[in-house]
Amino acid sequence: QVQLVESGGGLVQAGGSLRLSCVASGRSFNMYNMGWFRQPPGKEREFVAASTWSDGDVDYSRSVKGRFTMSRDSAKNSVYLQMNSLTPEDTAVYSCAVGRGSWPRDAAGYDFWGQGTQVTVSS
């Protein structure tokens, strides 16, 4: 049974940092894209970052580029999201996902999702 479990969310002041972790189990995901998405309160889910399995590149949304860093440990079936210089606009439920879609920014290309972890940034 495939399972993704996120951790590391919490409450932080603006300008602070958090590091999210996502551990996948049930199979090896070495040949899968792994991504982070978030859903702010009252808004649609949006792409944050993704690591493509084929070349190891990491793509970021414009809103987080330069502040967030995604890393991947294939041996541990895990991905991480280091979030720095957080702002209240980063408040959301953050979820990790794995899939083999052609376009890593597209949530439809992901087959498995975690439950999400809440990140709240106070002003």
Side-chain angles (χ1 to χ4, degrees):
Q1 180 179 357
V2 174
Q3 189 174 19
L4 303 176
V5 179
E6 303 97 337
S7 61
L11 174 63
V12 64
Q13 288 188 330
S17 299
L18 284 173
R19 184 175 186 254
L20 305 184
S21 299
C22 172
V23 180
S25 61
R27 68 173 68 169
S28 172
F29 290 104
N30 289 346
M31 297 180 72
Y32 283 72
N33 300 328
M34 298 188 79
W36 284 99
F37 291 79
R38 68 186 183 185
Q39 186 165 17
K43 296 184 179 180
E44 297 292 315
R45 181 170 55 195
E46 62 186 35
F47 168 77
V48 175
S51 168
T52 53
W53 72 270
S54 57
D55 55 15
D57 280 354
V58 180
D59 186 26
Y60 297 94
S61 69
R62 184 179 300 179
S63 62
V64 308
K65 193 170 185 177
R67 300 187 298 122
F68 290 11
T69 302
M70 180 179 180
S71 58
R72 181 171 182 166
D73 186 337
S74 295
K76 296 182 178 180
N77 251 6
S78 298
V79 289
Y80 308 94
L81 187 68
Q82 177 65 43
M83 306 186 297
N84 298 330
S85 302
L86 286 162
T87 73
E89 288 68 38
D90 295 315
T91 294
V93 175
Y94 286 71
S95 300
C96 66
V98 295
R100 304 190 71 174
S102 299
W103 183 235
R105 287 178 173 241
D106 185 359
Y110 292 85
D111 303 305
F112 305 102
W113 292 81
Q115 290 295 316
T117 185
Q118 176 71 46
V119 171
T120 303
V121 184
S122 63
S123 57

